[in-house]
Amino acid sequence: MDLARTEVGKPGKGKSRKGRKGLSRGSAARLGLLAVPVAFFAVFFAYPVAAIVARGLKVDGEWQFGRIADVIGQSDVRHVLWFTTWQAFASTVLTLLIALPGAYVFARFEFRGKQVLRAVVTVPFVLPTVVVGTAFLALVGRGGLFDEMWGLRLDTTVWAILLAHVFFNYAVVVRTVGGLWSQLDPRQEEAARMLGASRWRAWRTVTLPALGPAVAAAALMVFLFTFTSFGVVQILGGPTYSTLEVEIYRQTAQLLDLSTAAVLTIVQFVAVGLILAVHAWTVRRRETALKLVDAATVARRPRGAGQWALLGGVMLTVAVLILLPLGVLIERSLSGPAGHGFMYYKELTSAEGGAFLVPPIDAVWNSLQYALAATAIALMIGGLAAAALTRRAGRLVRGFDALLMLPLGVSAVTVGFGFLITLDEPPLDLRSTWILVPLAQALVGVPFVVRTMLPVLRAVDGRLREAAAVLGASPLRAWREVDLPMVRRALLIAAGFAFAVSLGEFGATVFIARPDNPTLPVAVARLLGRAGELNYGQAMALSTILMVVCAVSLLLLERLRTDRTTGEF
């Protein structure tokens, strides 16, 4: 009997060792996957930023760390720090309040024009901030639409800044939260209601905890974007309001004070690092394996007056908050001295007397090429990082999870200058090559890829991967058979986000894009910076083209995204 038990136990022990060995291989493979993202961020982010900071804090080869206390001690700098933090928090809360109903509508309702509307709400996210700031100024500034209709002006007030931030980040919440919401099994909430819970209590106790990681990820991205806001604050805030990003630009480009700019960059870097650390801790506490279903089985037509009213309210919000500013852009691109027409669009084909060595229309093709290359880089780097971070394998890996978000919180001005002073000699002499622009754009795209794919990857039941490892599957095969079918859709969404942010990236690109190969945002900014009605009209025309290109691209993505063969997310 004992011998039988012993013999029966041997295969089990061997199988267990095999499983543990497979899991150990999986952990080693995940750590290996981090090698490429770590190298990418070390060379193209940490090195340029560190170099520009060192130039600002080193005098005659000696570090001047006392300069940090001197700068922070200035009252005007403390005011900038306070306003930067306050407006970012207010913008995040306001964006969540306005966008979460939209996330629910896009996730759970099926209605005519849904794909087009989903693409439309994402368009503002890629528009250059200087263009959108100008459009909002036309709405709420002196002589704007609100001023003409109701005598209401909001320019040089914090409300104009907050509304513009909601305009930019509405899509972040709708897509990040709505993507996961569309796959949550609604029967769990229905079961709670059958047990006597009210609709609000069932949502609060069942659905909201499941959405926690996605809501936290969306809130983090919104906070980082508004914390580093530049164009919106510069145009709508006037001389009264200034964020850290605006102040860094002023100290660098206008006052040529690299020492103060370096200190402000360090302050921003530390603040963002602390925010990311807190976020990573809170997300880890709430992560659980979720029961995901096909999104196509969840969405249905609205039922009852309440759901139709919710749908109507969301569509009204989109019309007022998003379509109205975009409509102003289109109207201004068509409004010439002799009335409405396509005069400014025709002028885009000429380089005579312009701000560039080539016709401004060439910026369209340049932007598409750069954005495609940046998307490919971001998908490769972000996909490897997300796969490695699916299961936590120590503090080092968890720390890198947070570090991946730092490019969204570090001054783009600093990154752009850093590229110029570090990537200009062998073996990284890239200043004269086209790849420099996509590399800078990919830095911003990678966090979107990671944050879009990671919640879904971590929602996959880990026991499925363990079972595959026990059965002898390699980590690559386990990923292909278990994870990939569930994340194909998330991968498409990540690609769309990376492409969109690459089209609209401006902060770093403005310093490294060559005059004979400008991107659309750079072309728009340079035209806006030149006097004359013709330059302003061309800027509005290019902005409209950028908006249309983005809308068409996102619409094509939506058709792929809703294909039943594209996966579950």
Side-chain angles (χ1 to χ4, degrees):
M1 181 72 70
D2 292 339
L3 181 60
R5 282 197 296 266
T6 302
E7 293 300 320
V8 171
K10 286 182 179 179
K13 290 181 181 179
K15 188 175 182 179
S16 176
R17 284 195 298 270
K18 184 178 181 181
R20 287 196 298 269
K21 185 178 179 181
L23 294 177
S24 178
R25 288 200 308 266
S27 298
R30 281 188 292 273
L31 290 174
L33 290 175
L34 279 179
V36 175
V38 167
F40 178 81
F41 275 84
V43 174
F44 297 111
F45 176 68
Y47 176 44
V49 171
I52 198 69
V53 170
R55 286 210 174 187
L57 292 182
K58 267 190 174 182
V59 178
D60 296 329
E62 294 185 2
W63 290 96
Q64 303 292 327
F65 293 111
R67 181 62 179 158
I68 297 177
D70 294 339
V71 172
I72 297 178
Q74 299 174 10
S75 59
D76 56 339
V77 171
R78 290 199 301 269
H79 176 75
V80 169
L81 290 172
W82 165 248
F83 175 73
T84 301
T85 305
W86 178 88
Q87 63 84 25
F89 179 79
S91 297
T92 302
V93 172
L94 190 60
T95 302
L96 289 175
L97 290 176
I98 294 177
L100 280 177
Y104 175 80
V105 165
F106 281 105
R108 293 298 173 88
F109 290 170
E110 192 64 48
F111 53 91
R112 183 176 298 178
K114 179 178 177 179
Q115 294 181 29
V116 175
L117 194 62
R118 195 199 303 267
V120 167
V121 301
T122 311
V123 170
F125 191 71
V126 305
L127 293 179
T129 56
V130 290
V131 175
V132 178
T134 304
F136 266 82
L137 196 63
L139 287 176
V140 301
R142 176 179 298 178
L145 182 63
F146 287 6
D147 191 16
E148 292 178 354
M149 297 181 65
W150 303 296
L152 177 64
R153 287 185 55 191
L154 298 177
D155 57 322
T156 68
T157 70
V158 72
W159 284 108
I161 296 172
L162 297 181
L163 288 175
H165 284 164
V166 176
F167 170 85
F168 270 113
N169 297 294
Y170 185 88
V172 175
V173 178
V174 168
R175 285 184 170 266
T176 304
V177 179
L180 183 60
W181 207 338
S182 66
Q183 283 194 276
L184 293 182
D185 193 345
R187 292 175 295 184
Q188 298 179 12
E189 189 173 321
E190 293 170 0
R193 296 203 63 196
M194 291 181 63
L195 294 175
S198 64
R199 184 182 296 275
W200 162 249
R201 185 178 180 184
W203 182 83
R204 180 172 54 85
T205 59
V206 177
T207 305
L208 184 58
L211 290 174
V215 173
L220 170 68
M221 287 189 284
V222 173
F223 188 90
L224 287 178
F225 286 134
T226 53
F227 190 83
T228 58
S229 182
F230 174 62
V232 167
V233 177
Q234 189 176 42
I235 293 176
L236 298 178
T240 307
Y241 301 105
S242 178
T243 58
L244 272 172
E245 187 80 1
V246 174
E247 191 63 20
I248 291 172
Y249 175 80
R250 190 175 74 89
Q251 295 291 338
T252 302
Q254 298 179 3
L255 302 181
L256 301 179
D257 188 350
L258 288 182
S259 177
T260 300
V263 172
L264 295 179
T265 298
I266 294 174
V267 171
Q268 185 168 302
F269 188 87
V270 172
V272 171
L274 292 174
I275 294 167
L276 295 176
V278 173
H279 170 265
W281 178 78
T282 56
V283 169
R284 286 198 304 271
R285 289 176 59 89
R286 288 177 294 185
E287 283 175 351
T288 57
L290 304 177
K291 183 178 181 181
L292 302 180
V293 298
D294 188 349
T297 65
V298 174
R300 53 179 172 76
R301 289 185 62 80
R303 301 173 184 172
Q307 293 188 356
W308 280 107
L310 177 60
L311 176 59
V314 169
M315 296 187 75
L316 179 62
T317 299
V318 171
V320 174
L321 180 67
I322 295 177
L323 294 181
L324 189 58
L326 296 181
V328 170
L329 285 180
I330 297 174
E331 190 275 333
R332 290 200 170 191
S333 72
L334 297 172
S335 180
H340 289 81
F342 294 94
M343 182 191 75
Y344 295 133
Y345 291 88
K346 294 178 182 178
E347 291 294 333
L348 294 177
T349 61
S350 174
E352 296 181 5
F356 309 101
L357 302 177
V358 296
I361 195 66
D362 287 4
V364 177
W365 176 239
N366 294 335
S367 290
L368 290 176
Q369 289 180 304
Y370 289 145
L372 287 173
T375 300
I377 297 172
L379 286 178
M380 181 184 69
I381 301 299
L384 290 174
L389 297 171
T390 300
R391 290 183 59 185
R392 295 161 297 282
R395 293 183 178 180
L396 182 61
V397 174
R398 293 198 300 267
F400 188 69
D401 185 6
L403 290 176
L404 286 171
M405 299 295 292
L406 283 178
L408 301 181
V410 172
S411 170
V413 174
T414 302
V415 174
F417 271 131
F419 267 47
L420 290 180
I421 67 174
T422 58
L423 304 179
D424 61 343
E425 58 185 24
L428 290 174
D429 187 5
L430 302 177
R431 284 180 56 175
S432 60
T433 65
W434 67 271
I435 195 63
L436 197 62
V437 172
L439 287 172
Q441 294 172 339
L443 281 174
V444 183
V446 168
F448 283 95
V449 175
V450 174
R451 287 301 157 197
T452 302
M453 296 182 62
L454 201 54
V456 180
L457 285 172
R458 286 181 172 172
V460 177
D461 194 336
R463 291 173 295 184
L464 297 176
R465 302 189 190 97
E466 294 173 4
V470 167
L471 293 174
S474 65
L476 178 60
R477 184 176 179 184
W479 158 260
R480 186 176 65 250
E481 300 293 338
V482 177
D483 296 83
L484 185 58
M486 302 192 72
V487 300
R488 285 184 186 135
R489 208 166 187 175
L491 191 63
L492 288 174
I493 296 174
F497 262 130
F499 183 79
V501 298
S502 297
L503 276 178
E505 204 286 323
F506 171 70
T509 307
V510 69
F511 296 102
I512 57 180
R514 299 187 322 200
D516 58 339
N517 284 289
T519 63
L520 274 170
V522 171
V524 170
R526 289 181 181 173
L527 287 170
L528 285 175
R530 294 169 63 92
E533 187 177 354
L534 178 60
N535 288 314
Y536 182 81
Q538 287 180 307
M540 294 300 102
L542 276 181
S543 300
T544 302
I545 292 174
L546 175 58
M547 180 182 66
V548 172
V549 170
C550 177
V552 171
S553 302
L554 293 172
L555 185 57
L556 293 175
L557 175 67
E558 289 303 318
R559 290 187 178 276
L560 292 174
R561 183 180 181 273
T562 53
D563 190 329
R564 299 298 179 262
T565 66
T566 58
E568 300 297 331
F569 192 82

